[in-house]
């Protein structure tokens, strides 16, 4: 499918990707300024009710030139500075320019230089033999980068991440994984007995271990259905109110599920997903010899682990500190990321996010003097670090940890969540005593 593009001269591929990156930047800006909770009139794609705007410093009507990528913001910078501020145009212009540069640069890193492979395998012959695989990875990561850009800046502005970004993004990831599991990160399979070393995508199984046959039987189907159903349920309007007893709590809970008209769309999505998952499972041998089922199950595992890690910490931290620690948008964001990169890479991204947070907080504070930064940008930055330094992260540390923990990985994660809750609770008591 990607072969005609791979066969183009490299300079032509760079130009195409630069134009696609520019288009992705325009799309990201459109989403940032129109899909947010409080749409801002800065967007040239939004029809504005001028009567509701303040009388002073009203912006002029949008012109056709305002929608020209890059240059549209420069044109408006002279015209609408009095309405939006002197530097309003810098961020959207840098988003478009940044993605225009980032997409070809990341292609060079991933598909030409083989940056995700061990250094000893980055020779031209090996990279060329893996061109199809690396281009699939790149395609998935480029889409993810655009989605994360939109989510990051909406989170900066409003401390929320719209489901309009994360739900379609997750569905795109599941669809791509079903088409090809080669969108997931590479793992080196050492050669033995004269057989050369090779690479394969890291799927739902633990590293260096063959997939258990149960995942290709009814256990795999039930697990996939449970993950899909749990995700759809998590997206519903859930609220437990215990003030009037358990009977009323159940009544209020069920009423809340159908409180908003969107429950019908969510129900339809759940049913369509059940049919699609069951269809791929029943035809798993006919569809590319089980490859489609492997990709779909890997993406669902990534969705489950990525979302569950943040959700569990959100629950534990909120209960320990008595205030909401993270928004649920962070949960759906990490679920989307996990669906794109798999559960192993989503774990790495989560634990790298605090490192990225240091740089983000410093930059944010230098620009706005605001020390509080939402958690979503940390997760996105941790994901980018995972993509860029995958071989060092995986081969240098993550692989050995996962193999050592093995089947006890789940219990280890639960114990760490419990320990985190205890630490936060004790820290809350210390702060309370100190301030009193």
């Amino acid at each position: 499918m990607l072969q005609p593009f791979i066969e183009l001269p490299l300079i032509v591929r760079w130009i195409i990707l630069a134009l696609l990156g520019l288009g992705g930047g325009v799309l990201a800006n459109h989403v940032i300024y129109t899909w947010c909770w409080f749409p801002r009139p800065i967007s040239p794609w939004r029809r504005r009710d001028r009567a509701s705007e303040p009388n002073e410093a009203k912006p002029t009507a949008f012109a056709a030139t305002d929608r020209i990528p890059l240059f549209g913001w420069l044109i408006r910078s002279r015209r609408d500075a009095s309405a939006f501020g002197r530097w309003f145009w810098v961020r959207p212009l840098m988003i478009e320019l940044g993605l225009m540069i980032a997409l070809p640069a990341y292609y060079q890193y991933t598909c030409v230089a083989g940056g995700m492979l061990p250094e000893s395998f980055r020779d031209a012959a090996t990279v060329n033999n893996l061109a199809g695989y690396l281009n699939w990875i790149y395609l998935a990561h480029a889409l993810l980068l655009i989605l994360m850009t939109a989510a990051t800046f909406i989170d900066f502005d409003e401390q929320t991440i719209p489901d309009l970004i994360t739900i379609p993004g997750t569905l795109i990831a599941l669809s791509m994984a079903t088409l090809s599991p080669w969108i997931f990160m590479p793992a080196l399979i050492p050669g033995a007995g004269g057989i050369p070393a090779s690479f394969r995508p890291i799927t739902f199984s633990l590293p260096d271990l063959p997939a258990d046959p149960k995942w290709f039987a009814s256990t795999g189907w039930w697990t996939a259905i449970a993950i899909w159903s749990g995700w759809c349920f998590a997206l519903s309007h859930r609220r437990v109110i215990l003030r009037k007893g358990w009977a009323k709590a159940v009544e209020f809970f069920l009423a809340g599920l159908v409180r908003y008209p969107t429950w019908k769309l969510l129900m339809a999505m759940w049913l369509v997903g059940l049919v699609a998952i069951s269809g791929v499972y029943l035809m798993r041998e006919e569809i590319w010899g089980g490859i489609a089922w492997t990709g779909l199950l890997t993406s669902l595992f990534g969705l489950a682990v990525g979302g569950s890690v943040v959700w569990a910490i959100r629950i534990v931290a909120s209960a320990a500190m008595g205030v909401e620690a993270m928004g649920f948008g962070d949960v759906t964001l990490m679920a989307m990321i996990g669906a794109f990169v798999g559960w192993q890479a989503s774990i790495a991204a989560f634990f790298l996010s605090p490192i990225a947070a240091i740089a983000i907080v410093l930059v944010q504070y230098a620009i706005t003097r605001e020390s509080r930064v939402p958690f979503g940008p940390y997760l996105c930055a941790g994901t980018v670090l995972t993509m860029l330094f995958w071989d060092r992260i995986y081969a240098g540390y993550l692989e050995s940890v996962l193999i050592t923990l093995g089947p006890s990985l789940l219990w280890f994660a639960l114990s760490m969540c419990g320990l985190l809750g205890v630490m936060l609770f004790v820290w809350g008591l210390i702060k309370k005593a100190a301030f009193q």
Side-chain angles (χ1 to χ4, degrees):
M1 186 182 297
L2 300 177
Q3 195 60 35
F5 176 77
I6 297 173
E7 293 175 352
L8 293 173
L10 182 58
I11 185 65
V12 176
R13 281 177 276 169
W14 283 345
I15 293 172
I16 293 174
L17 293 173
L19 293 175
L20 290 176
L22 182 59
V26 172
L27 177 61
N29 277 325
H30 173 73
V31 170
I32 291 166
Y33 295 113
T34 57
W35 289 16
C36 52
W37 191 259
F38 299 103
R40 296 172 60 192
I42 185 177
S43 171
W45 304 278
R46 177 173 172 259
R47 182 174 296 176
R48 205 167 60 245
D49 181 11
R50 294 180 56 80
S52 65
E53 295 174 1
N55 290 326
E56 64 275 9
K58 281 188 177 181
T60 58
F62 289 122
T65 55
D66 293 344
R67 295 183 174 88
I68 300 175
L70 297 180
F71 297 103
W73 298 105
L74 294 174
I75 293 170
R76 295 185 59 204
S77 67
R78 298 182 178 181
R79 191 187 68 215
D80 289 338
S82 60
F84 298 129
R86 185 178 179 184
W87 304 107
F88 78 95
W89 54 275
V90 173
R91 193 181 81 175
L93 184 144
M94 293 304 296
I95 288 173
E96 294 176 5
L97 181 63
L99 285 174
M100 181 181 177
I101 296 172
L103 260 61
Y106 188 61
Y107 184 85
Q108 175 71 22
Y109 175 80
T110 304
C111 301
V112 179
M116 282 191 172
L117 307 178
E119 291 187 12
S120 58
F121 289 87
R122 295 179 187 177
D123 57 281
T126 302
V127 173
N128 189 55
N129 290 335
L130 295 172
Y133 178 17
L134 297 177
N135 274 263
W136 267 109
I137 295 177
Y138 171 81
L139 176 60
H141 288 184
L143 290 172
L144 179 59
L145 184 61
I146 294 171
L147 291 167
M148 291 194 302
T149 300
T152 292
F153 287 100
I154 292 179
D155 210 8
F156 274 134
D157 292 341
E158 299 186 343
Q159 288 73 55
T160 186
I161 300 173
D163 288 343
L164 283 173
I165 295 176
T166 54
I167 294 177
T170 303
L171 297 177
I172 291 172
L174 293 171
S175 301
M176 289 188 67
T178 305
L179 287 174
S180 174
W182 296 91
I183 68 170
F184 298 110
M185 304 296 199
L188 175 65
I189 308 300
I195 301 176
S198 60
F199 290 90
R200 65 167 176 83
I202 299 179
T203 56
F204 54 82
S205 60
L206 285 170
D208 292 341
L209 296 177
D212 194 314
K214 69 180 181 180
W215 299 118
F216 296 91
S218 59
T219 299
W221 180 79
W222 280 111
T223 303
I225 292 299
I227 293 172
W228 173 254
S229 300
W231 182 64
C232 291
F233 175 74
L235 297 175
S236 64
H237 184 266
R238 301 160 288 97
R239 191 178 181 186
V240 179
I241 303 174
L242 298 174
R243 292 193 301 268
K244 296 185 178 181
W246 283 100
K248 282 293 183 182
V250 174
E251 182 181 342
F252 291 153
F253 178 77
L254 295 176
L257 292 178
V258 296
R259 180 178 179 183
Y260 297 104
T262 52
W263 76 269
K264 298 179 180 179
L265 182 61
L266 187 59
M267 177 66 74
M269 186 179 74
W270 176 62
L271 293 174
V272 171
L274 293 181
V275 173
I277 291 171
S278 300
V280 175
Y281 170 74
L282 292 174
M283 299 182 65
R284 59 192 180 282
E285 297 300 332
E286 288 81 2
I287 305 178
W288 307 310
I291 291 178
W293 176 247
T294 299
L296 177 59
L297 196 59
T298 300
S299 188
L300 285 168
F301 269 53
L303 182 158
V305 172
S308 296
V309 167
V310 179
W311 199 355
I313 292 179
R314 177 178 185 262
I315 293 172
V316 170
S318 299
M321 297 188 298
V323 295
E324 185 174 284
M326 291 182 284
F328 199 77
D330 298 322
V331 178
T332 58
L333 173 66
M334 201 63 209
M336 179 189 75
I337 291 172
F340 269 103
V341 301
W343 69 269
Q344 299 92 339
S346 67
I347 291 176
F350 178 79
F351 283 103
L352 284 174
S353 59
I355 299 175
I358 297 173
I360 294 175
V361 169
L362 291 176
V363 173
Q364 176 83 349
Y365 183 76
I367 296 175
T368 66
R369 293 293 185 254
E370 174 61 65
S371 60
R372 295 174 300 172
V373 180
F375 197 59
Y378 303 165
L379 297 174
C380 294
T383 303
V384 172
L385 289 176
T386 302
M387 290 156 51
L388 291 176
F389 301 103
W390 172 246
D391 178 63
R392 296 183 187 178
I393 294 168
Y394 180 70
Y397 181 73
L398 182 62
E399 182 180 22
S400 59
V401 170
L402 295 178
I403 292 175
T404 301
L405 292 175
S408 62
L409 179 62
L410 175 60
W411 301 111
F412 176 79
L414 292 175
S415 64
M416 288 297 100
C417 284
L419 180 61
L420 174 65
V422 172
M423 291 173 60
L424 291 174
F425 179 74
V426 172
W427 174 244
L429 294 177
I430 295 173
K431 286 179 63 178
K432 185 177 180 180
F435 282 109
Q436 284 181 345

